[in-house]
Amino acid sequence: MFKHSDESRHTVANEAVIEAIGISKTFGGAKALTNVSIRGVAGSIHAVTGENGAGKSTLMKILSGVHRPDAGELHVSGKIVKFHDSRAAREHGISTVFQEFTLLPNLSVAENLFLGREPGPRGWVNIRQMKARAKEILAALGVDIDPTQLAGQLSVGEQQLVEIAKGFATDASVFIFDEPTAALNGPEVEKLKSLIRSLKERGKAVFYISHRLEEIFSMCDTVTVLKDGTHVATLPTSELDERSLVTLMVGRQIDDLFPPRATQVGGNALRCDSVHPSDANRSFRLNRREIVGIAGLEGQGQRELLRSVAGVLSSQELRLEKCGDGSKTHVLDPASGVRGRLRQGVGFLPGDRKSEGLYLDLSIAENIAISTYQGSSLGAYASPNASLISNMMKHLGLRAKSPRSMVQTLSGGNQQKALLARALISEIDVLVIEEPTRGVDIGAKTEIYRLLRSFTEDNGAVLVSSSELPELIGLCDRILVVRGGHIVATIDGQDATEELVMSYALGTSGPHLKEAA
């Protein structure tokens, strides 16, 4: 269970830098917020959390001038303000880092930092001064990025750091972060956390939208919980633990975030062997009725291993055998691709569901049924099996107005269920999945975990990777630890701890190969 950390915490003044009082907002007759209040205090990190659709992003967009409230007041430094647009909010010292960045890719980092505020006499830009000031700002934040580099050449993590530097360049007093770690790797996450803590130490008021409990408890001083557009509670994180916070978020007590592990596994569902006998530490077995996780530090080969199994990557170094319920097996063609794997009973859910998994301009029904159209005529595409799709949506608890609703209108959890429905409708018995709950609220997480376990109980097998180590430890029956492209340890789920997994990932422990039969 995550515990609140008091390290580097200090008492701060109780005076609000920014305050929203009685905010209400309606979109097309749907109430997004009803009488919600929140305050941001200097030198404090304030978490804003709740299930998808709770109103978190809407509230923050009102604070940042993107939306105007239908009712209520905004106060900045004790004075009533009205923001007509986001520029007005920035002029009042409010900087927002949304999930969709606002950097212009064809401009340099320095040009992005001072866009619209370029130093120099009227009508002229002092490029040398702009670069020098940009370098000073980046250095003050501990960001090692060349100010002359084009923004479009930066990684996602680097772009996020530049977005923060933009706010720092305007001397913002309030920083708003919307799910800032969702698309970052491990080192980038730690860099971002360090930078946000430095903003707190500089006396900034920080709002932090997140579903990730570890981040809330390790970083934030206060947490506000919203549900269905209403205020549930605002409490110091020191007065909460994981269980009590989850109860506030979902409106009911969740006794067990993860379902019970398998009591007995079945025979092999999949065999992965290296084609080189001397390289046996790239081999593993995936059994029926079990969930196996792949863990490791970023870039150590776990992604390539999982995607080779899924057919996304073609590997001539691995021999994959799909095992039937009996003794019959067949070798998977390395070049068969994801579609070929699907025909052989292996489904794949990518970590980035929006860019790699879903067809956002199609309906829920079309997204689910699209895997059944292989080999069919074009005319068949227009008439997906309505009853089959409806039953699958009901089975998975996929909540939507209609199967004809556009998939892009769904919450993250329901989009993930749509991808899962697509795989299950193809009658697979092996599921390969990346980041099973990325960008998903806590209530939907428990449902997805239950669905994965239900799939294995029906004689299926799951191979999963996740950047959230507690998720792998809580969910999996076994964990394969990968380092340098090799499986260096196989750990039983009930024996796994973060310290143990990381010790093998870092190479500080000896061999721990305990392959299941």
Side-chain angles (χ1 to χ4, degrees):
M1 183 177 293
F2 300 121
K3 293 295 184 182
H4 175 76
S5 172
D6 288 317
E7 183 179 352
S8 76
R9 300 289 168 88
H10 54 83
T11 303
V12 297
N14 199 35
E15 184 177 347
V17 178
I18 186 169
E19 188 169 12
I21 303 173
I23 299 296
S24 295
K25 181 66 179 178
T26 300
F27 294 103
K31 292 184 177 180
L33 293 170
T34 304
N35 194 31
V36 174
S37 299
I38 195 170
R39 62 202 314 265
V41 177
S44 178
I45 304 176
H46 192 135
V48 183
T49 192
E51 295 183 283
N52 285 328
K56 307 181 297 295
S57 293
T58 300
L59 178 59
M60 293 299 105
K61 286 180 178 180
I62 287 174
L63 293 183
S64 59
V66 177
H67 297 320
R68 301 184 197 177
D70 298 328
E73 293 181 346
L74 293 179
H75 294 198
V76 174
S77 299
K79 297 180 180 179
I80 297 177
V81 297
K82 292 184 178 180
F83 299 147
H84 297 289
D85 52 31
S86 56
R87 181 173 182 175
R90 288 195 298 271
E91 290 173 350
H92 281 80
I94 299 167
S95 175
T96 306
V97 181
F98 292 115
Q99 292 187 50
E100 294 80 21
F101 301 141
T102 60
L103 300 179
L104 298 181
N106 59 325
L107 296 184
S108 70
V109 170
E111 290 168 328
N112 271 280
L113 290 183
F114 291 97
L115 188 63
R117 303 179 299 103
E118 293 84 355
R122 186 179 181 87
W124 297 87
V125 178
N126 188 327
I127 296 177
R128 180 179 296 179
Q129 184 182 357
M130 183 171 63
K131 290 179 180 178
R133 288 179 60 183
K135 189 174 182 179
E136 289 175 3
I137 290 169
L138 294 169
L141 292 173
V143 176
D144 185 19
I145 296 177
D146 183 352
T148 65
Q149 187 173 359
L150 292 179
Q153 298 174 343
L154 302 177
S155 69
V156 173
E158 289 172 331
Q159 289 183 53
Q160 196 158 49
L161 297 178
V162 174
E163 289 278 8
I164 298 171
K166 282 173 59 179
F168 195 77
T170 62
D171 196 27
S173 56
V174 178
F175 285 78
I176 299 172
F177 295 90
D178 187 359
E179 295 284 357
T181 62
L184 304 186
N185 60 34
E188 290 174 335
V189 169
E190 292 308 312
K191 178 64 179 177
L192 178 66
K193 287 181 177 180
S194 176
L195 188 49
I196 292 175
R197 290 188 181 104
S198 75
L199 293 176
K200 170 187 169 178
E201 293 169 358
R202 295 171 186 270
K204 310 299 183 181
V206 178
F207 288 109
Y208 193 89
I209 302 177
S210 181
H211 291 127
R212 298 187 177 185
L213 301 185
E214 183 275 332
E215 294 176 1
I216 292 174
F217 282 99
S218 66
M219 294 181 61
C220 301
D221 303 283
T222 307
V223 57
T224 287
V225 179
L226 301 180
K227 183 173 178 60
D228 298 328
T230 62
H231 177 267
V232 176
T234 295
L235 294 166
T237 47
S238 58
E239 295 181 8
L240 296 165
D241 59 17
E242 179 185 358
R243 185 183 297 273
S244 58
L245 180 55
V246 168
T247 299
L248 290 172
M249 291 167 66
V250 302
R252 66 186 187 279
Q253 186 168 341
I254 295 181
D255 295 326
D256 296 299
L257 181 61
F258 300 100
R261 291 187 172 89
T263 55
Q264 186 175 2
V265 300
N268 289 161
L270 189 77
R271 297 174 186 165
C272 176
D273 293 299
S274 172
V275 297
H276 305 293
S278 60
D279 194 17
N281 58 2
R282 299 186 70 188
S283 303
F284 68 92
R285 303 290 182 267
L286 180 62
N287 298 312
R288 297 185 181 278
R289 302 181 65 83
E290 76 168 347
I291 300 176
V292 173
I294 300 181
L297 299 176
E298 186 74 22
Q300 290 298 303
Q302 64 271 31
R303 183 175 187 270
E304 289 74 14
L305 177 61
L306 183 139
R307 288 194 162 219
S308 294
V309 173
V312 180
L313 301 178
S314 176
S315 174
Q316 302 297 328
E317 303 298 315
L318 298 173
R319 174 185 169 88
L320 294 164
E321 289 186 355
K322 179 72 164 43
C323 309
D325 285 330
S327 58
K328 184 178 179 181
T329 65
H330 57 270
V331 177
L332 300 181
D333 181 359
S336 66
V338 175
R339 291 184 179 181
R341 291 285 196 274
L342 195 61
R343 287 192 294 268
Q344 296 165 323
V346 180
F348 175 58
L349 272 65
D352 190 340
R353 55 180 169 268
K354 289 186 177 180
S355 66
E356 291 189 281
L358 296 169
Y359 297 89
L360 296 177
D361 56 346
L362 297 182
S363 70
I364 300 167
E366 290 168 323
N367 268 278
I368 293 174
I370 203 164
S371 64
T372 67
Y373 298 139
Q374 297 183 78
S376 302
S377 65
L378 184 62
Y381 180 78
S383 55
N385 189 317
S387 61
L388 181 62
I389 290 170
S390 179
N391 289 337
M392 182 62 71
M393 290 175 64
K394 184 177 180 180
H395 171 65
L396 297 183
L398 198 167
R399 290 179 285 276
K401 291 182 179 179
S402 164
R404 295 187 297 275
S405 299
M406 300 300 287
V407 75
Q408 63 184 337
T409 65
L410 298 178
S411 67
N414 282 314
Q415 287 184 351
Q416 192 74 339
K417 290 177 184 178
L419 271 183
L420 184 57
R422 180 195 298 170
L424 296 182
I425 211 169
S426 302
E427 299 183 349
I428 62 169
D429 56 358
V430 173
L431 179 64
V432 181
I433 179 170
E434 296 175 324
E435 304 293 347
T437 61
R438 172 176 284 171
V440 169
D441 66 62
I442 194 70
K445 280 187 177 186
T446 61
E447 294 178 344
I448 290 171
Y449 297 149
R450 176 185 59 79
L451 290 170
L452 294 179
R453 184 56 70 183
S454 175
F455 174 74
T456 63
E457 289 173 348
D458 196 29
N459 218 32
V462 174
L463 183 67
V464 58
S465 66
S466 174
S467 57
E468 298 186 42
L469 191 50
E471 179 169 73
L472 291 181
I473 292 172
L475 179 65
C476 298
D477 301 295
R478 285 186 296 137
I479 296 176
L480 310 177
V481 185
V482 177
R483 187 178 72 248
H486 302 287
I487 300 171
V488 296
T490 302
I491 306 174
D492 192 282
Q494 62 186 2
D495 298 330
T497 64
E498 291 189 55
E499 293 77 14
L500 181 60
V501 174
M502 287 304 297
S503 68
Y504 291 113
L506 291 167
T508 58
S509 290
H512 192 279
L513 294 174
K514 188 177 64 176
E515 187 63 65

